[in-house]
Amino acid sequence: MVRMLLQHMHLKKKYDVIAGPVAFALVAWLLHFYLGLKSSLALGTVVWMGLWWITRPVDIAVTAFLPIGINALFDLVPAEQIITQYFSEIVVLLVGSDLISQTWSNTGLDKRLGIKTLCCIGTSMRQQIVIWLTVSTVLSIFMPNVVVVMIFVPIAVSMLKFVGEKNIKGSKVAVPILLAIVWGAGIGGFGSPIGGAANLVAISYLESLSGHEFMYMDWVIRFLPCLLLVMLLNLAVLLAIKLPVQQLANTKEYFQGLYKELGPMKRGEMLSLGLFVAAIVLSFARPLFAELLPSMRPAYIFFISGLLTFVLHDEHKKVLLDWRQAEKNLMWGMFFLFAGGLALGRLVTGTGAATELAEVITLLPLTGGLETIFSFVVFSTILTEVSSNTAAASIAIPVIQSIGEALKLNVVPYLYITIIAVNCAYILPVSIRAIPIGYGLEPSELLQRGTVLSLLNIIMTAIVGYLFIQYWPLFSTF
C-alpha cells in the first residue's frame, strides 16, 4: 500500500514537471498568431511559472530561475535586463533585513518581541488579524511596502513560534496573520503619493494632463475613502478564513507576566533592536538627508545595518552574527523568489506582451460606462499580478488615457480607478508576496485566498468607481 502511494506521488510529480513546459509551449503556440512570438513566449512563461508555483514539482525558488533560461533560449530581451533583477536594489534590502533578523535568535530578542507582541495585541485571532492588517496598511502609506513587510513578518513569525507554531509552513494559524501583513502593505501604497513608485508614475501623468502640480492633499482626499473600502474587503476575506483556534495559547495576562520575568534588555538585544529600528527610522526620514546622501536609499540603509551585525559585540564579547551562520541561514530562496517575480515582469513588459494585451481593450465596444470601468480594472489587475505595480502603472495609465480620450471621456476618474487597481495584487508569489512565502506560507494558500479576494476586489473597484463618477464630483477633477 505504501509502495503504491509512493509510486502514485512520484508519477504525479512527473506529470506536474511536464505540465509546465507543455503549458508554456501551448500558450506560446496559440497566442503567437495574435501577439507575435516574443510576447506569446513571455506570457507562456507566466503560465509555466504559475503552474510550478502551485503544484511545486520543484522548489519555488528553482521556478524563479526560469526567466533566465527561457530568455537565454529565445533571446526575448537583453540578458542584462533579466540578470540584474536577481540582485536588484530590493534584493539588497531583503538581504540586509534578513541579516539583522538573524541576530534576534542569537540575542534572545525574538522571544522578547514575540511576547511583547502578544502583550500588545492580545491572543484573540480576530484581534490579531484586524491589528496586523490595519497597522500594515497605515504604515505602508508612508513607507515602501517591502520595508513594511520585512518589519512585520519576522516579528509575527517570532510570535507564532513562541505560542507553539514551530512549523510555519504547515501552520493554519499563521495563514491569516501573514496574509494580513502582506495584503495590508500591498494596498496601503495608494493611500499617499509616497506609498510607492507606481503613484509617482501616476502623478506625472496627472500633472501633464492638468498642467499644474498635483498636491499630496488632493491625492489623499480622493483615495482615502477608496483605501478604506478596499481594506474592509480585505478584512472580510481574512475573517472568513476557517481557523483551527479562536485564541492563541494562554492569555494576555500570562504573557505580561512572562515579559516581566525576562528582565531588562541585554546589550546584544539592544544592539540587535537598535540596528533594526535605526534602519526603519532612517528609511522613513530619508527626505531629510536625501540631498546630502542621494544614493542612501532604504535598501542600502538596511544593508549597511546588516553588515554592522558582523562587527558589533554582545554582552559576552561575541559578534552579533558570524558569516558561517549567516551563510547557512540566509533566506536565499526568498531572495530568488522575489527576484524571479521581477524578472518575469521584465519579460512581460520588455517583449511588449503587456502592450499587446492593452490593444485588446481597444477592440471592445466601450462607451465609458460600467463595462468600460470593469475592462480597465481587469486589465490593470492582470498587469500588476504578473509584474510590479510600477510596471503596471507605466503601461496601463497611458493606454487607458488614450482610450478615454478616443471615447471623448473625462479621463481623470478612469485614471484614479486604474491607480487603485494597480495597487491591488494578491495571487502569485511575486513582489512583496514572496516574503511570507520565504518564511513558510504555502503558495497554494496565497493562490486560493488571493484569487477570491482579487475577483471580489475587481467587482468592488469597478462598482465603487462607477458610483464615484456618477455621484462624487470631486472624483472627476484634479
Side-chain angles (χ1 to χ4, degrees):
M1 183 68 180
V2 175
R3 181 179 294 179
M4 289 178 62
L5 183 60
L6 290 174
Q7 288 176 343
H8 174 73
M9 292 173 63
H10 185 66
L11 191 61
K12 182 183 181 301
K13 188 172 183 179
K14 281 186 176 180
Y15 286 143
D16 289 340
V17 169
I18 296 170
V22 168
F24 165 78
L26 185 61
V27 169
W29 180 74
L30 289 174
L31 294 182
H32 90 276
F33 298 106
Y34 309 99
L35 305 180
L37 182 59
K38 288 191 174 184
S39 295
S40 62
L41 288 168
L43 294 177
T45 306
V46 174
V47 175
W48 184 350
M49 293 178 73
L51 275 175
W52 273 14
W53 273 331
I54 296 165
T55 59
R56 300 183 70 172
V58 297
D59 192 277
I60 53 177
V62 175
T63 302
F65 288 113
L66 283 176
I68 297 177
I70 291 172
N71 189 63
L73 281 171
F74 299 102
D75 193 27
L76 303 181
V77 298
E80 60 271 14
Q81 292 187 16
I82 300 300
I83 297 298
T84 52
Q85 303 306 310
Y86 289 83
F87 206 72
S88 64
E89 190 170 291
I90 295 178
V91 176
V92 171
L93 187 152
L94 296 176
V95 172
S97 179
D98 193 16
L99 289 173
I100 301 170
S101 298
Q102 280 195 46
T103 67
W104 293 6
S105 59
N106 293 348
T107 62
L109 181 64
D110 56 345
K111 181 179 180 180
R112 186 179 294 273
L113 288 175
I115 296 174
K116 190 63 176 178
T117 302
L118 289 162
C119 292
C120 295
I121 300 178
T123 57
S124 164
M125 279 299 296
R126 293 177 69 87
Q127 194 168 322
Q128 286 273 337
I129 292 168
V130 171
I131 291 178
W132 283 118
L133 177 70
T134 303
V135 175
S136 297
T137 302
V138 172
L139 196 55
S140 66
I141 293 175
F142 308 103
M143 294 179 65
N145 54 18
V146 66
V147 175
V148 174
V149 178
M150 283 308 299
I151 292 171
F152 288 142
V153 167
I155 294 174
V157 169
S158 295
M159 177 198 73
L160 289 163
K161 287 184 176 179
F162 184 76
V163 296
E165 300 294 321
K166 302 298 183 184
N167 183 13
I168 300 299
K169 187 174 182 179
S171 171
K172 293 298 181 183
V173 174
V175 171
I177 291 175
L178 295 181
L179 288 179
I181 293 170
V182 74
W183 286 356
I187 63 174
F190 74 87
S192 79
I194 60 174
N199 300 342
L200 302 179
V201 172
I203 283 179
S204 68
Y205 279 96
L206 292 171
E207 289 181 343
S208 66
L209 277 172
S210 65
H212 60 77
E213 183 180 356
F214 190 79
M215 297 297 180
Y216 280 19
M217 185 53 64
D218 293 331
W219 178 289
V220 173
I221 290 170
R222 286 161 179 78
F223 285 102
L224 207 54
C226 305
L227 176 57
L228 180 60
L229 290 171
V230 172
M231 190 179 80
L232 289 174
L233 177 63
N234 280 245
L235 180 59
V237 172
L238 286 167
L239 292 177
I241 295 175
K242 187 176 180 180
L243 299 171
V245 295
Q246 296 302 315
Q247 295 274 344
L248 297 176
N250 295 306
T251 64
K252 186 175 180 178
E253 290 72 23
Y254 169 77
F255 291 114
Q256 288 173 340
L258 277 183
Y259 192 78
K260 287 181 181 178
E261 292 176 9
L262 291 177
M265 292 184 71
K266 300 179 181 65
R267 173 183 166 84
E269 291 178 276
M270 288 190 287
L271 287 173
S272 186
L273 182 61
L275 288 172
F276 198 61
V277 172
I280 296 168
V281 172
L282 289 173
S283 297
F284 186 77
R286 174 168 155 69
L288 300 178
F289 59 84
E291 192 171 324
L292 180 64
L293 298 170
S295 296
M296 190 59 73
R297 291 186 286 273
Y300 306 114
I301 293 171
F302 271 86
F303 192 73
I304 291 172
S305 296
L307 292 180
L308 288 174
T309 63
F310 295 104
V311 297
L312 295 176
H313 292 75
D314 63 13
E315 64 277 9
H316 303 298
K317 308 301 181 184
K318 292 175 59 179
V319 290
L320 297 179
L321 185 67
D322 64 71
W323 176 246
R324 183 171 296 179
Q325 178 190 357
E327 184 180 28
K328 180 180 178 181
N329 296 319
L330 274 170
M331 303 180 72
W332 302 106
M334 180 184 72
F335 306 151
F336 294 134
L337 181 60
F338 201 110
L342 297 176
L344 178 62
R346 185 56 60 94
L347 276 184
V348 172
T349 55
T351 58
T355 306
E356 296 284 352
L357 288 176
E359 291 183 3
V360 174
I361 299 179
T362 62
L363 304 176
L364 300 175
L366 304 178
T367 62
L370 183 59
E371 85 291 338
T372 303
I373 296 171
F374 183 77
S375 300
F376 290 170
V377 172
V378 169
F379 169 63
S380 302
T381 301
I382 291 173
L383 277 185
T384 199
E385 286 287 359
V386 300
S387 61
S388 67
N389 54 8
T390 305
S394 300
I395 295 166
I397 288 175
V399 167
I400 288 169
Q401 178 183 336
S402 63
I403 294 173
E405 289 172 347
L407 294 172
K408 294 183 169 50
L409 301 171
N410 173 14
V411 299
V412 174
Y414 297 94
L415 294 185
Y416 291 159
I417 294 167
T418 302
I419 292 165
I420 297 170
V422 299
N423 277 282
C424 297
Y426 305 102
I427 300 174
L428 293 178
V430 299
S431 187
I432 60 171
R433 296 177 297 286
I435 297 172
I437 298 296
Y439 278 86
L441 180 67
E442 289 283 359
S444 58
E445 293 283 359
L446 187 69
L447 174 76
Q448 179 186 348
R449 315 297 178 184
T451 299
V452 172
L453 180 53
S454 188
L455 292 173
L456 291 174
N457 191 74
I458 287 171
I459 295 169
M460 188 189 75
T461 302
I463 293 173
V464 169
Y466 177 76
L467 293 175
F468 278 3
I469 291 174
Q470 299 297 316
Y471 302 108
W472 188 21
L474 191 64
F475 196 71
S476 298
T477 62
F478 291 106

